[in-house]
Amino acid sequence: EDTIEVRDPAPDFVISEVRTTRLGSAGESVRLQRILENQGNAAGTMAYGIYLSTDRSFDLMSDRMIGMGSQQLVTGQIDNNIDTVRNASDGTAGAYFIVYVADPDAQVGELDETNNVGFSTNAINIEAASLTILSQALPLGTIDLPYDFILAAVGGSASLTWSISMG
């Protein structure tokens, strides 16, 4: 005997496409083209999270959120638009997939809760942030006495070595 489920009308949010550039830098903005759809039989507001992932699977514990958004979608509506997000400034350089997760907090009862994740077709290669020297000025030194001062910098891709070129 077959069982037929009868339920109230509900939206069904789907991320059908995610596109990104192939190169970015930590801390810089990147534009993401995405297509959001409501394949359900009722209107709703789709909240979504945007994440960086090292693979084409979504793991809330290891993937890093880089943005959020929301879009009101009527039944059958397809929203083809661009989101601008900032890459994590303190993340590790490397190749990352962009992951969109519809209704990440499960606030909307949908017809299908298993189709809420979409991945970029290609990975974005995120390079380390450019080197920025934070130390603004050095204290004065005295001739023939040892001089020691710790300089501060952020960004770059390796440990830094400082030296005096003249003086």
Side-chain angles (χ1 to χ4, degrees), residues 43-80:
T45 299
M46 177 199 287
Y48 56 89
I50 307 167
Y51 299 82
L52 291 176
S53 178
T54 56
D55 54 27
R56 288 182 53 92
S57 65
F58 176 64
D59 182 351
L60 185 60
M61 299 306 290
S62 63
D63 293 343
R64 181 154 194 167
M65 180 179 264
I66 58 171
M68 297 169 45
S70 66
Q71 182 66 46
Q72 176 71 31
L73 297 170
V74 298
T75 301
Q77 182 177 353
I78 298 173
D79 182 67
N80 185 347

Side-chain angles (χ1 to χ4, degrees), residues 55-120:
D55 54 27
R56 288 182 53 92
S57 65
F58 176 64
D59 182 351
L60 185 60
M61 299 306 290
S62 63
D63 293 343
R64 181 154 194 167
M65 180 179 264
I66 58 171
M68 297 169 45
S70 66
Q71 182 66 46
Q72 176 71 31
L73 297 170
V74 298
T75 301
Q77 182 177 353
I78 298 173
D79 182 67
N80 185 347
N81 216 324
I82 293 175
D83 290 319
T84 301
V85 297
R86 185 172 303 279
N87 288 325
S89 60
D90 58 348
T92 304
Y96 294 91
F97 290 94
I98 303 295
V99 184
Y100 271 68
V101 179
D103 192 25
D105 298 324
Q107 297 295 306
V108 178
E110 297 179 64
L111 296 178
D112 184 354
E113 298 285 353
T114 65
N115 59 356
N116 287 3
V117 179
F119 299 92
S120 58

